[in-house]
Amino acid sequence: MLRPEDRFRFDCHKGLDCFTQCCRDITIFLTPYDILRMKNALDISSEKFLADYTHTLVGENGIPVVALKMSDDEARSCPFVASDGCRIYPDRPWSCRIYPLQPESTKITEKAGRLYFSVMDVPFCKGFFEQRESTVHQWLEDQEVFVYMEMEQHFKKITQNPFLVDKIIANKKIQQMIHMACYDLDRFRRFVFDSSFLDQFDIESAEIEKIQTDDTALFQFAMKWLEYGLIGQQGLKVKPGVMAARKETLGIS
Ligand code: SF4
Ligand code: SF4
């Protein structure tokens, strides 16, 4: 078990015989931020990215998860691998960046501000025989993993809320709402701007302007909406007139 200050030996480069061998026959679950970066790198919509490159599954807790669809060649290659490496390298998913490390922290250690990692055991990977030595922290920084960890916190904050822990989300509409907010950002943007959404919620005009074009801001906004919808947090506020009308419809004073 490694802490951020511990050292390990690993390097990866085109000169190794195993180059790109790790980009075949693997299961890669994509985080919401992975999808945001990958669909923008490919300059396609989230809908097209999800349809062409992913499978959606529903986890035991009812929360949808998205996995990268491997090509149907004999090697089950990643759709983005080419002979000279990853075609979307600057926007490769989190799990490709963090390799050969994997997180081992628990909710308890994270709460106490302690992160732990282990080194994966991949027998064909020659990178472990290279001379480069890094601390875990240096590796995460070099691979730009921290921004992915920060984005993941928005979603973890919701799923690890005591109100949702140990609950199973069985309602299909709620599952679709989670899927749209997390993974299908372009559809979420249309939902915000082409429905009565903005008439319902009190949102500052600067934020409205930002989420029109900035996907990262839109994702953060989508997480506030999920938080509001799933656990009733006050990240979003309903307009006073709307609340009064709702109370009247429900007969609440
Ligand atoms: S060194 Fe490991 S990570 Fe790098 S290409 Fe080879 S198998 Fe993949
Ligand atoms: S996304 Fe890139 S780095 Fe990750 S498996 Fe595919 S080709 Fe390899």
Side-chain angles (χ1 to χ4, degrees), residues 223-241:
M223 293 303 100
K224 279 202 281 187
W225 176 68
L226 264 193
E227 215 177 344
Y228 168 84
L230 293 177
I231 46 187
Q233 298 287 307
Q234 294 306 306
L236 279 187
K237 283 203 171 58
V238 173
K239 285 184 177 171

Side-chain angles (χ1 to χ4, degrees), residues 42-62:
L42 296 166
D43 196 19
I44 58 177
S45 68
S46 53
E47 285 109 320
K48 183 155 173 60
F49 181 84
L50 289 167
D52 292 357
Y53 296 112
T54 70
H55 295 292
T56 297
L57 313 158
V58 176
E60 280 176 6
N61 55 2

